[in-house]
Amino acid sequence: MSATTAAWLVLACPLAGTILLGLFGRALPGRIPGLVGTAAIAGSFVFAILAFADLQSRGEEQRQLVSSLYDYAVTGSIDVQMSILVDPLSILMMLVVSGVSMLIHLYSVAYMGGDRGYVRFFAYLNFFVFSMLLLVAAGNFFLLIVGWAFVGAASYLLISFWYRRTTATAAGIKAFVINVVGDVGLTLGAFFILKESGTLDFLGTFKQAEEISGANLTAGLILLLVGAFAKSAQIPLHTWLPDAMEGPTPVSALIHAATMVTAGVYLIARMHPLFEQSAAAADVGTIIGAVTLFVAATIGLVATDLKRVIAYSTMSQIGYMVMGVSAGAYVAGLFHLMTHAFFKALLFMAAGSLISAMGGEQSLDRMRGFRKAMPFTFLCFCVGGLALAGVPPFSGFFSKDEILLVVGDEGGWHWILYVVGYVTALMTAIYTWRMIFRAFFGDPVPEAVELEHGHIHHVDVPVNPATGEEEDTDVGFPGPEHHIAERALPMKIAMGTLAVLATVGGVVLIPKTTTWLDTFLEPTFADAPHHDPSDGMIWFGLALGAALGVLGIFIAYTIWGKANGEIAVRLRERMPAVHRFLINKWYFDELIELLVVRPAGWFGRFGQQTFERVFVNGTLVGGTSGIVRAGSAAVRALQSGFLRAYAALLLVGLGAVVLYFLLQA
Amino acid sequence: MTIHLSILLWLPAAAGLLGMLAPRALGRWIAVAGAALTFAYTVVLIADFDTGARGLQYVTDETWIAELGIHYKLGVDGLNLMLVGLTGLLFLASFVWLALTDWERPGQMVFFFGLAESSVLGALLAQDLALFVLFFDLMLVPFFFLTGIWGPPATRIAAITKLFIYTLVGSLLMLTAAIALGVLSAQQGGGDLTFVLSDLARVRLSEGTQQWIFLCFAAAFLVKMPAFPLHGWMPDGYRNMPLPVLAVFSGVLSKVAAYGFLRVVTPLLPDASVHFQELMMLLALASILYGSAMAFTTTDVRLVLGYSSVAQLGFIVLGIFSLQGDGAQGAIFQAVNHGLVVAPAFVVVAALALRAGGSEDVRDMGGLAFRAPVLAAMFLIVTLATLAMPGSANFVGEFLILFGAFNSKIAIAIVAFTGVALASVYALRLFIRSMHNRVGADAVSRELTLREGVVLVPLVAVVLFFAVYPQLALDRSERAATQSVRVAGALAHPEETRIAQEQPTP
């Protein structure tokens, strides 16, 4: 099977799954819909492997294939084909997306088992995977934008999955609107590039990359970055991501950690021939990435909601990737994208298991001592935590160091980013292990004790933890049953597989040892400048990364692991201003509210209350209708007399004008 | 194949008349059959249309009033083809909807409705300016009756009074402009008095004359759309029309005005079109921003759609007055798309009101999705298409419009993009506040009934079809849309046209 046929089938599987589940899902019994959904994604994964195999069997120059199904929208100056681009980059993304998605689908088969929206969940999840695959396979800007918007819509649907929770719908609309801002950036950016290149096709555009450099290109690329920032939760378009944790936990694992949020990284890597031509745009990406990775990590240090800590961590890790690919570390950025998908999905799954054991409660303040009650979850959390903290030989260790190595090698002002990257690496280890020490160590909470005795905690009248509102367990609310990894085989298989990948995933690119990923991606990045850092720098980076990871874990242990976290309380009391600043997330939400949301509301209300009433109704209509109102009694008496008046006036007018011109002529 | 446009034109009115005269139970179904035949006729027309041919097809041309040079000339080209199809589809849907609902005096209703369809088709098909003006004015008459007789008794008279005043002013201005155009062209060209559009296009009036004629036409069209700030009749008008009537009124009538710009104004008044290009684009921009802001602050569901139409028509005007081929083509396509989504949206409004205890206020709704997954899915598709999500046909239209605007007036295009983001706010807000969140006090979630589904589902299917294959419409409109703005575009951007002529597009 040729690579392009296989790639089309990669897209077809989840689309077929969506349609099948959407139309007939409710006719299927029990957990079958979940298995159907999982099978669709497994199909994608198999076809992605076939495409990979076919691509590898070709010569290096023939590894960029374009396939078009039909003319989608062709006009005089725009030529949009329904076309995909199959090259090592898109195949890598397809493999990661379909592989991780398959495991998360499997996890959800059990995790969502008690929910009344089971079928809907899998239909949405399949739709998301289709959209994400479309995004990475797109062969032109237009389809990229379509995939981009589809993942945004899927993300919205899944954030608001429990749609009768007002907190979930508010988070959904926020995510959607910010993502539309990103879509707008992307579209406008594509306009600037289209204006210069005259084509929307990727390869056609890249071919003329050198001719189109200039102000329009820089403007276009910065607008593309706006799209990337919105999707990848980079400052200042990040505020939707923490709120997106309102969605079910598998959604957080799949969309808001492993796949969709990394789309910005993919975009920059995909556009690398253009970014090579515009240093200014590349610098914007690099700096925003660096700022984000730092700011998000500081918030992660104090956040108390388990899922939000991981969400801020995601923001921070994507900051590393964005910084990396913007600074030219394409392979390293994508390497981190892959390992991050493994360990972050794993962490979210483990968090989901823990939240289930708490009966839906997510606050770290309420969790303690789950180590004995949930050994498997604990083990997975530790593996994910070690990989995230960058402790060797776990996967995150190699990928993060690779990014910082290339950034450091750039020289010039990039050394600041190098330092920020390592400082944040220390914070990463601290906030990660803060979660672990708080949730799994110390005296067990009642829920943990209950679980040790064989019962999963169950609340009779569930409340929304965010608002305290009472909920029922009907459609549109979380289901009544909870499932933990220790008791559900599908969850265990999914988490176990990811734990293995998170441990050994780094093997594809170990400095001075393996270069598999580098070699594989070579055809896509052939024209990008190569980095060749000195041996001393390589070893220094590795040693520093390992040391900071271990040090961070030790600090976390000292603060939260010992004596039930008394030191943490004392720290908070010692620095109340810092704590307040961080717990309020650097006041970004308030800033956006003040600058954007409120003025828009004022404008709307001004129009509604003042302009419509006074100007439009009062002046424009009032004047004319006043004249009519004078004779309205007569008009009403004639019932529809004004129609006659209308016809008469028309005739009179016609006559008068005709007469005038005829006399003139 | 010979297709007689006169049959297409008069069939709905004839069926309506027959429906009124037939016995009560049978009458409405005769009218539905007539609308179905009309729609089938338009589908044949779309399928048979020769994409490669220049100029008008299926032309009917008879001299009507020889002394005044008025012809009964009908014809189809890329500008009106898809709009004719849209008219056929939306009227069919509304006829079915009317037939499935109980009304007082149903016979009269189908008569007025058939008359409305014929006059809309007449305005679209007319290739003679006088005929166009006649149908354009005739178009409103049935809607006056439909609102005046079947609207809510307390407010309907006030609403049509307002609508009447607005459109009267517009119509008189247009009438004057049309006559002036014919007479002055005859004077300048030295030939006989004629109103046939293709004859008028041969003469280019002096710039000053073009300008005042332009303003008269623009006023009439902008009122009909409506565009900011001439939308004063819209809130009352929308609140007082029965929903099946409103669905076609909002879906089709406003498009005739947009179509009028491309059929009459840009080809016949190219100098004035360039002169007023910025003014029109700024008005369009104001409509987009103002309409969007109103749409996300009002709580009346009908008005959310009404103000969103103001914004969407703003996009269409923006595309036309970009005076670029892409922009004009996008405008035509968007006119079809907006009609295709706004009609099912009004079906949804009716369904929502039925479930919210008769209220059309979003504050009385909420949570309506949870026992109604099919309704929710249909509404969601309509919502996403309304906000022109990429992947919908509406996005293709918006993309072309904005790219056209981007190429002619970049600053205006960039500000117009704000409207894209605002659309997502009002469309999604409407969806969430009616379908999601806690169930409203008097609201009951019930699944889509068969009656609602028969009207709603086929419309949504058409929306999905164009999302997958927009090329069907784009292919057919390209030649005519480009032609309509060619002269004006060349005046506005002399340097670009020269390049385009050197490299003819295949």
Side-chain angles (χ1 to χ4, degrees):
Chain A
M1 187 185 294
S2 82
T4 50
T5 314
W8 281 116
L9 290 170
V10 169
L11 289 175
C13 288
L15 183 63
T18 309
I19 296 171
L20 201 69
L21 289 173
L23 293 180
F24 310 113
R26 279 187 298 164
L28 301 172
R31 290 190 173 179
I32 303 290
L35 294 172
V36 170
T38 311
I41 309 305
S44 272
F45 186 59
V46 170
F47 285 119
I49 291 172
L50 290 177
F52 168 78
D54 181 69
L55 205 65
Q56 288 303 91
S57 69
R58 293 164 191 257
E60 264 200 33
E61 284 72 43
Q62 280 112 46
R63 289 192 197 160
Q64 286 194 314
L65 311 168
V66 177
S67 161
S68 173
L69 274 193
Y70 59 91
D71 288 358
Y72 182 75
V74 181
T75 71
S77 51
I78 288 170
D79 179 6
V80 180
Q81 300 287 318
M82 185 60 85
S83 68
I84 55 171
L85 168 62
V86 182
D87 73 342
L89 175 57
S90 60
I91 291 289
L92 174 76
M93 291 301 292
M94 281 185 204
L95 285 168
V96 172
V97 169
S98 61
V100 174
S101 301
M102 179 174 70
L103 293 173
I104 291 170
H105 272 71
L106 185 63
Y107 175 90
S108 312
V109 169
Y111 188 83
M112 296 301 289
D115 201 282
R116 297 283 296 273
Y118 191 71
V119 175
R120 186 165 56 95
F121 183 79
F122 280 95
Y124 286 174
L125 217 53
N126 265 225
F127 175 65
F128 166 75
V129 178
F130 164 71
S131 313
M132 187 69 201
L133 290 168
L134 181 68
L135 192 164
V136 300
N140 57 57
F141 280 100
F142 194 95
L143 274 197
L144 175 82
I145 295 168
V146 172
W148 202 264
F150 275 15
V151 292
S155 159
Y156 156 72
L157 289 172
L158 284 160
I159 293 168
S160 306
F161 180 73
W162 289 316
Y163 58 77
R164 286 202 283 156
R165 273 185 168 181
T166 42
T167 47
T169 54
I173 195 165
K174 185 174 183 182
F176 193 89
V177 173
I178 293 181
N179 273 299
V180 168
V181 172
D183 296 349
V184 166
L186 204 56
T187 312
L188 199 50
F191 278 4
F192 273 101
I193 293 166
L194 170 64
K195 192 176 183 181
E196 289 295 312
S197 71
T199 175
L200 283 166
D201 185 61
F202 282 157
L203 293 184
T205 309
F206 299 159
K207 236 176 264 158
Q208 359 171 0
E210 280 174 33
E211 288 110 72
I212 62 177
S213 53
N216 272 349
L217 180 69
T218 301
L221 288 177
I222 289 176
L223 285 161
L224 291 189
L225 282 176
V226 170
F229 295 160
K231 196 68 65 189
S232 293
Q234 301 294 291
I235 288 172
L237 298 173
H238 65 285
T239 55
W240 64 272
L241 182 64
D243 289 10
M245 297 299 122
E246 284 286 338
T249 304
V251 173
S252 313
L254 177 59
I255 302 181
H256 305 121
T259 55
M260 183 187 86
V261 287
T262 59
V265 181
Y266 164 78
L267 177 71
I268 299 171
R270 173 55 84 204
M271 296 297 144
H272 78 273
L274 302 179
F275 277 98
E276 300 287 347
Q277 301 301 321
S278 173
D283 288 346
V284 170
T286 314
I287 292 168
I288 293 287
V291 171
T292 305
L293 73 89
F294 178 78
V295 170
T298 59
I299 302 173
L301 285 172
V302 299
T304 52
D305 182 303
L306 177 64
K307 282 177 71 181
R308 282 177 193 236
V309 176
I310 311 181
Y312 281 109
S313 158
T314 303
M315 244 177 91
S316 171
Q317 294 301 305
I318 295 169
Y320 276 101
M321 299 174 213
V322 168
M323 177 176 84
V325 288
S326 301
Y330 304 116
V331 176
L334 292 165
F335 180 29
H336 198 53
L337 186 159
M338 182 183 89
T339 59
H340 176 260
F342 299 152
F343 64 70
K344 195 49 74 62
L346 176 65
L347 277 175
F348 263 120
M349 287 178 174
S353 183
L354 193 58
I355 291 165
S356 279
M358 291 292 297
E361 175 63 53
Q362 303 188 4
S363 172
L364 274 173
D365 291 338
R366 296 233 28 245
M367 297 174 188
R368 216 166 46 242
F370 270 99
R371 192 174 29 154
K372 287 209 191 70
M374 307 181 83
F376 182 76
T377 303
F378 174 60
L379 177 73
C380 288
F381 223 117
C382 286
V383 170
L386 288 167
L388 177 55
V391 174
F394 292 89
S395 58
F397 167 70
F398 294 107
S399 54
K400 182 161 61 192
D401 275 339
E402 188 70 25
I403 291 178
L404 293 175
L405 187 63
V406 179
V407 171
D409 191 49
E410 281 279 303
W413 53 274
H414 285 81
W415 69 267
I416 304 175
L417 309 179
Y418 189 71
V419 173
V420 170
Y422 276 109
V423 168
T424 306
L426 178 68
M427 288 198 280
T428 307
I430 297 175
Y431 70 65
T432 310
W433 283 80
R434 165 178 172 260
M435 284 189 289
I436 295 176
F437 287 121
R438 290 189 70 170
F440 290 99
F441 288 77
D443 310 324
V445 288
E447 287 86 351
V449 177
E450 219 180 313
L451 191 59
E452 279 175 46
H453 291 96
H455 301 287
I456 297 178
H457 181 68
H458 181 81
V459 278
D460 289 324
V461 186
V463 291
N464 182 346
T467 58
E469 254 184 309
E470 246 182 55
E471 298 182 315
D472 54 35
T473 50
D474 206 328
V475 185
F477 287 111
E481 295 167 38
H482 293 286
H483 299 273
I484 63 170
E486 276 72 12
R487 307 263 183 92
L489 191 61
M491 290 168 74
K492 223 171 192 170
I493 296 172
M495 286 165 70
T497 314
L498 278 176
V500 173
L501 289 171
T503 311
V504 304
V507 77
V508 294
L509 196 68
I510 297 176
K512 313 203 86 56
T513 318
T514 56
T515 57
W516 293 333
L517 192 66
D518 230 349
T519 322
F520 173 62
L521 289 173
E522 179 63 25
T524 301
F525 298 109
D527 45 356
H530 278 259
H531 288 270
D532 204 7
S534 66
D535 284 6
M537 207 173 154
I538 294 174
W539 293 119
F540 173 74
L542 289 176
L544 182 63
L548 288 174
V550 176
L551 177 65
I553 296 173
F554 177 72
I555 293 175
Y557 174 71
T558 320
I559 300 179
W560 291 282
K562 286 201 289 199
N564 278 336
E566 270 171 34
I567 300 179
V569 178
R570 247 182 291 151
L571 270 177
R572 206 182 310 153
E573 282 164 2
R574 191 83 57 81
M575 299 183 283
V578 176
H579 185 257
R580 205 176 322 121
F581 184 64
L582 293 181
I583 206 92
N584 282 303
K585 305 162 285 188
W586 292 52
Y587 296 99
F588 273 108
D589 273 309
E590 287 75 6
L591 196 68
I592 290 175
E593 169 86 20
L594 195 71
L595 292 181
V596 183
V597 182
R598 273 197 223 165
W602 283 330
F603 177 56
R605 273 190 300 277
F606 166 75
Q608 202 70 260
Q609 289 162 2
T610 314
F611 195 83
E612 286 289 278
R613 204 165 295 161
V614 178
F615 181 66
V616 177
N617 273 338
T619 314
L620 277 183
V621 183
T624 36
S625 69
I627 303 164
V628 171
R629 217 170 278 142
S632 71
V635 170
R636 244 180 247 129
L638 286 164
Q639 215 180 17
S640 53
F642 62 90
L643 285 170
R644 277 171 229 168
Y646 179 62
L649 267 172
L650 218 93
L651 279 177
V652 170
L654 181 86
V657 177
V658 169
L659 207 66
Y660 170 77
F661 282 107
L662 287 178
L663 287 176
Q664 288 283 305
Chain B
M1 183 169 23
T2 324
I3 294 177
H4 294 286
L5 294 180
S6 289
I7 299 179
L8 174 66
L9 171 55
W10 296 112
L11 187 62
L17 188 65
L18 213 61
M20 181 169 71
L21 299 175
R24 216 182 156 91
L26 197 61
R28 55 176 81 174
W29 295 110
I30 291 176
V32 168
L37 264 177
T38 313
F39 176 59
Y41 216 110
T42 64
V43 172
V44 172
L45 203 63
I46 291 171
D48 187 63
F49 185 80
D50 183 356
T51 332
R54 262 174 202 284
L56 295 170
Q57 302 181 31
Y58 318 109
V59 177
T60 300
D61 192 356
E62 308 281 341
T63 308
W64 183 23
I65 307 174
E67 293 78 15
L68 295 176
I70 297 176
H71 283 232
Y72 173 76
K73 183 178 179 186
L74 308 175
V76 168
D77 66 0
L79 287 183
N80 55 9
L81 176 72
M82 296 311 289
L83 286 171
V84 168
L86 175 76
T87 308
L89 177 67
L90 294 197
F91 269 96
L92 173 59
S94 276
F95 262 117
V96 174
W97 188 359
L98 286 177
L100 291 173
T101 326
D102 288 320
W103 301 92
E104 286 174 39
R105 289 181 275 180
Q108 280 183 38
M109 195 167 204
V110 295
F111 170 69
F112 284 124
F113 219 57
L115 188 64
E117 181 168 6
S118 279
S119 50
V120 170
L121 286 172
L124 288 172
L125 294 171
Q127 300 299 337
D128 180 286
L129 189 55
L131 198 62
F132 173 78
V133 172
L134 180 76
F135 277 120
F136 194 86
D137 284 330
L138 185 63
M139 206 161 70
L140 265 182
V141 175
F143 284 95
F144 285 138
F145 283 102
L146 287 165
T147 313
I149 300 176
W150 289 276
T155 49
R156 60 194 179 196
I157 298 297
I160 25 182
T161 309
K162 217 183 224 185
L163 177 59
F164 169 69
I165 294 165
Y166 265 89
T167 45
L168 176 71
V169 174
S171 293
L172 285 176
L173 288 172
M174 183 162 81
L175 185 64
T176 315
I179 294 169
L181 195 57
V183 172
L184 295 176
S185 294
Q187 272 180 3
Q188 195 178 322
D192 292 335
L193 183 62
T194 174
F195 285 95
V196 176
L197 288 171
S198 52
D199 296 337
L200 292 176
R202 292 203 194 98
V203 181
R204 196 148 138 195
L205 296 172
S206 74
E207 215 179 315
T209 315
Q210 280 194 27
Q211 281 171 14
W212 73 261
I213 295 179
F214 178 97
L215 288 175
C216 291
F217 273 116
F221 292 149
L222 291 178
V223 164
K224 189 70 63 93
M225 281 180 165
F228 175 86
L230 303 173
H231 64 281
W233 60 267
M234 188 277 291
D236 282 343
Y238 269 49
R239 269 193 293 247
N240 285 287
M241 275 185 210
L243 279 168
V245 176
L246 184 52
V248 287
F249 186 84
S250 177
V252 181
L253 260 73
S254 54
K255 310 307 174 306
V256 181
Y259 162 78
F261 273 120
L262 282 171
R263 173 64 76 201
V264 179
V265 175
T266 52
L268 299 187
L269 307 166
D271 299 281
S273 299
V274 176
H275 183 83
F276 290 116
Q277 181 185 18
E278 276 178 18
L279 174 74
M280 294 304 290
M281 286 180 88
L282 286 172
L283 268 183
L285 193 59
S287 295
I288 293 170
L289 299 180
Y290 187 77
S292 305
M294 290 299 99
F296 68 68
T297 40
T298 182
T299 55
D300 184 319
V301 179
R302 289 185 189 216
L303 291 192
V304 174
L305 295 177
Y307 284 116
S308 93
S309 299
V310 172
Q312 291 302 316
L313 267 300
F315 274 109
I316 292 171
V317 174
L318 192 70
I320 294 170
F321 282 92
S322 70
L323 300 179
Q324 301 266 334
D326 291 321
Q329 210 182 341
I332 286 284
F333 190 43
Q334 198 66 344
V336 176
N337 289 330
H338 180 252
L340 282 176
V341 298
V342 87
F346 279 114
V347 183
V348 171
V349 170
L352 294 179
L354 211 60
R355 286 157 179 76
S359 166
E360 286 173 0
D361 193 306
V362 279
R363 286 171 297 190
D364 297 326
M365 297 173 185
L368 295 180
F370 87 110
R371 294 274 179 268
V374 179
L375 174 62
M378 294 294 139
F379 190 13
L380 182 67
I381 294 170
V382 172
T383 302
L384 294 178
T386 303
L387 62 86
M389 190 176 85
S392 66
N394 300 57
F395 177 70
V396 177
E398 226 169 68
F399 191 90
L400 291 170
I401 287 171
L402 288 168
F403 189 60
F406 183 84
N407 279 329
S408 65
K409 297 274 182 268
I410 189 167
I412 293 178
I414 290 173
V415 181
F417 264 100
T418 324
V420 179
L422 291 177
S424 71
V425 180
Y426 66 69
L428 212 54
R429 171 179 169 271
L430 177 61
F431 179 76
I432 290 174
R433 291 190 60 175
S434 56
M435 302 307 280
H436 287 174
N437 291 346
R438 294 302 178 108
V439 182
D442 295 320
V444 186
S445 176
R446 271 197 316 272
E447 186 51 297
L448 201 66
T449 62
L450 196 61
R451 284 178 177 197
E452 292 162 339
V454 165
V455 183
L456 182 57
V457 175
L459 289 174
V460 172
V462 178
V463 169
L464 288 177
F465 172 79
F466 278 107
V468 177
Y469 192 56
Q471 189 64 25
L472 178 90
L474 293 178
D475 257 346
R476 287 163 170 74
S477 66
E478 182 175 348
R479 202 172 268 276
T482 318
Q483 182 63 28
S484 166
V485 293
R486 193 180 54 86
V487 179
L491 287 171
H493 303 275
E495 68 293 343
E496 276 171 33
T497 326
R498 213 170 44 244
I499 300 166
Q501 277 163 353
E502 279 159 20
Q503 301 165 324
T505 44

